[in-house]
Amino acid sequence: MLKKTLRALREYPWVILFALFILSYTVLDMSFTNKSYSELENRPLKTRPKMSFSTLMSGDYDEKFDAYINDQFFGRDGWITLKSRTESALLKTENNEIVYGKDGYLFKKYDRIDGEKYQANERYIREFFEKYPQQEITFCVVPNSYEILKDKLPVGLSLVDEAAEIERLYAGLPDNVTAQNVYSTLWEHRDDYIYYRTDHHWTTYGAYLAVCAYAGERGMTPPPLEAIDSQKVPNFYGTYFSKAKKAGAKADVITYYEVPVRSVTVADEERDGLYDLQKFETRDKYAAFLWGNNNRTVIESDQNLNKVEGKKTRVLLIKDSYGNCFAPFLCYLYDEVVIADLRYLPKASDLMEDGQYDDVLLMYNFESLASDGYLAKLRY
């Protein structure tokens, strides 16, 4: 018996080694402590779902358990990195729906729109405009990076024509709504650092250019950027990197501006300044702006360069995360800046009834506007 076993080991060594590997990996995986968050991917991980008779019968448990298994296994970060390096060595130009562009830029392969969701969101936005005919509203749709940085895309790649879609969205707006064209402004500065290489957001400079365009449209004086103290945060790897894990990706640099403020209230809690500085020490550095995404943030300052004697001017910014690095600059245009994120609010009417605004600015990046599941709250 022993001789047969030794002979088998000699004849099939790789089979035996593979079996030992599987056994060892299974033991390690069983002893592995589940994580709730992936620093490498910058996202929460699925946790073990609860089993019940109804979820078993509906198939919901199986689906959630598969997602849990995919998120929780021993050495996951290492395997993800290995996959990325292997695909880079094979000269692949994309990974996990992220396209590798020129000069170290990464782009989402945004080649189709969920037509049903997009049409519904457009309808919700137009209903919102019609609901408040006496309120001055500015509508701003920000193009995503690939639309402006077309020269950095791989040759022959066909993506959604955001320029055409934004132009269509701006057509036929009510008299109380102004379309804010930031496309042309960003296009003129396409050779500048206006979008992050590894993240889906625009940079703070890109946001500043949009503020200047907004101020110019309204006949206001924008803030001089060189007059505001700034700080740089290196080693930022954003959401696109988190999905693609591209080997050799060049880190971004975040710049934030120390806008003097009198008070900052985030979700009814007083905060010390505009930024959660501790977030700059983590992988999710962009979350430092405005203390991340919250239901309602109010900023009061004495920096208004367009002060109206005897009047407190106010603006309401309804936004996605693009607005987080944009909002601080509004302190130079208004006395009070109210920022709202519909993802964390029950309905928009609560905001509109909160007080009189000199302007309501509805600002979303195009991809977010087309796919967001919370714009329906504008109707209520």
Side-chain angles (χ1 to χ4, degrees):
M1 181 68 180
L2 181 59
K3 288 182 179 181
K4 289 183 179 180
T5 303
L6 291 173
R7 189 183 307 117
L9 287 173
R10 286 195 299 270
E11 291 179 0
Y12 308 104
W14 292 111
V15 174
I16 302 301
L17 288 174
F18 182 72
L20 288 173
F21 171 78
I22 294 296
L23 178 61
S24 301
Y25 190 86
T26 301
V27 172
L28 288 170
D29 194 49
M30 290 176 64
S31 60
F32 171 68
T33 302
N34 290 174
K35 298 191 297 183
S36 60
Y37 191 84
S38 169
E39 284 289 335
L40 180 65
E41 297 173 89
N42 189 25
R43 70 174 181 87
L45 298 175
K46 300 294 183 182
T47 55
R48 183 185 290 273
K50 291 183 178 180
M51 184 190 299
S52 67
F53 179 77
S54 61
T55 57
L56 277 173
M57 296 303 294
S58 66
D60 185 57
Y61 177 80
D62 290 342
E63 183 178 334
K64 289 182 177 180
F65 190 78
D66 284 344
Y68 160 72
I69 290 298
N70 286 331
D71 270 8
Q72 305 284 357
F73 56 86
F74 179 74
R76 185 174 186 275
D77 288 353
W79 290 114
I80 291 173
T81 301
L82 178 61
K83 176 178 180 287
S84 173
R85 292 186 181 277
T86 301
E87 293 189 339
S88 294
L90 294 173
L91 302 180
K92 287 193 174 182
T93 59
E94 66 176 89
N95 182 30
N96 203 16
E97 295 297 309
I98 300 299
V99 176
Y100 303 160
K102 297 177 183 177
D103 301 326
Y105 275 86
L106 305 178
F107 303 97
K108 182 173 180 179
K109 191 177 181 181
Y110 189 46
D111 55 1
R112 58 190 177 279
I113 299 176
D114 181 340
E116 185 176 349
K117 174 66 71 176
Y118 181 35
Q119 291 172 17
N121 284 349
E122 181 181 357
R123 185 171 69 253
Y124 302 148
I125 290 169
R126 293 188 182 276
E127 288 180 13
F128 174 72
F129 294 157
E130 294 167 0
K131 188 175 181 179
Y132 300 98
Q134 304 305 315
Q135 174 66 61
E136 286 190 48
I137 300 174
T138 300
F139 183 33
C140 180
V141 184
V142 184
N144 298 101
S145 59
Y146 77 82
E147 181 65 36
I148 300 298
L149 308 180
K150 294 179 179 180
D151 62 321
K152 301 185 187 302
L153 290 171
V155 176
L157 182 64
S158 179
L159 301 177
V160 172
D161 186 350
E162 291 190 1
E165 289 299 325
I166 292 172
E167 185 176 356
R168 190 186 62 78
L169 287 168
Y170 285 168
L173 294 176
D175 293 340
N176 63 311
V177 181
T178 300
Q180 180 59 60
N181 177 18
V182 296
Y183 186 100
S184 59
T185 300
L186 296 171
W187 179 259
E188 290 170 5
H189 291 267
R190 61 190 179 277
D191 293 329
D192 296 327
Y193 189 39
I194 57 174
Y195 289 97
Y196 293 114
R197 287 181 295 270
T198 68
D199 192 65
H200 70 284
H201 292 103
W202 55 7
T203 63
T204 317
Y205 182 59
Y208 169 75
L209 293 173
V211 169
C212 291
Y214 172 78
E217 183 75 29
R218 301 185 67 79
M220 305 172 84
T221 301
L225 195 61
E226 64 277 3
I228 312 173
D229 291 337
S230 65
Q231 300 292 335
K232 294 187 181 298
V233 181
N235 300 318
F236 172 48
Y237 291 93
T239 52
Y240 288 165
F241 173 80
S242 295
K243 290 192 70 177
K245 312 297 184 304
K246 185 179 185 297
K250 186 178 180 181
D252 282 295
V253 176
I254 288 181
T255 300
Y256 68 94
Y257 290 84
E258 298 177 329
V259 179
V261 295
R262 192 166 66 250
S263 68
V264 178
T265 306
V266 180
D268 297 323
E269 291 186 12
E270 291 290 329
R271 297 289 189 178
D272 184 18
L274 293 165
Y275 311 105
D276 182 356
L277 298 180
Q278 291 184 345
K279 278 290 184 180
F280 285 131
E281 304 299 322
T282 68
R283 180 175 289 273
D284 189 14
K285 299 182 191 303
Y286 190 85
F289 289 102
L290 292 189
W291 302 82
N293 296 313
N294 295 280
N295 56 358
R296 186 173 181 272
T297 299
V298 180
I299 307 170
E300 294 186 334
S301 78
D302 299 313
Q303 306 307 309
N304 188 0
L305 301 176
N306 304 269
K307 186 74 177 177
V308 178
E309 195 64 35
K311 180 183 178 182
K312 179 180 181 179
T313 56
R314 306 175 75 219
V315 63
L316 169 62
L317 171 63
I318 303 176
K319 55 80 187 178
D320 58 14
S321 57
Y322 266 51
N324 293 8
C325 64
F326 173 94
F329 295 119
L330 291 176
C331 293
Y332 293 94
L333 308 181
Y334 298 94
D335 300 311
E336 182 177 285
V337 180
V338 180
I339 305 136
D341 193 319
L342 293 175
R343 288 171 288 186
Y344 310 100
L345 286 167
K347 53 186 179 178
S349 59
D350 291 342
L351 297 167
M352 302 301 291
E353 295 167 3
D354 185 49
Q356 296 295 317
Y357 300 104
D358 294 272
D359 191 26
V360 172
L361 173 55
L362 180 66
M363 187 177 75
Y364 279 74
N365 75 79
F366 178 80
E367 186 187 339
S368 178
L369 181 146
S371 61
D372 190 275
Y374 300 93
L375 284 169
K377 295 180 181 181
L378 290 171
R379 308 170 73 190
Y380 307 111

